Amino acid sequence: MHTKYLFLILIFLVLLTPMDVEAQCAMCRAVLESESTGKAAEGINNGIVYLMAVPYVLVAALFYFIYRKMRT
């Protein structure tokens, strides 16, 4: 029983550790590196965060509605 909780805690710690990744296409990277103000890079990063967050919000809402339906 304790190993199950330890395994879950380990998974959460692995998922929450930040990772440094550079996964831009060559064209995007060239444009972002050549710009001096950094506004385009900030916009691209914000767009990536929004695109990444939407599926998580949708899945969380789905599980919430399923939980609410099962509870009543």
Side-chain angles (χ1 to χ4, degrees):
M1 190 66 147
H2 294 292
T3 57
K4 186 177 183 179
Y5 290 123
L6 183 63
F7 182 69
L8 288 175
I9 290 171
L10 181 65
I11 288 176
F12 283 125
L13 289 175
V14 168
L15 292 176
L16 293 176
T17 53
M19 291 183 252
D20 293 332
V21 293
E22 295 183 28
Q24 297 173 346
C25 68
M27 294 296 290
C28 296
R29 185 179 180 112
V31 169
L32 296 177
E33 286 179 351
S34 67
E35 189 188 40
S36 61
T37 61
K39 292 290 183 184
E42 186 177 340
I44 293 288
N45 288 336
N46 288 339
I48 290 169
V49 169
Y50 293 140
L51 287 172
M52 181 186 71
V54 169
Y56 289 108
V57 171
L58 291 174
V59 169
L62 176 69
F63 280 120
Y64 171 73
F65 287 120
I66 290 172
Y67 170 76
R68 211 170 95 189
K69 186 73 172 172
M70 297 294 266
R71 191 157 184 215
T72 57

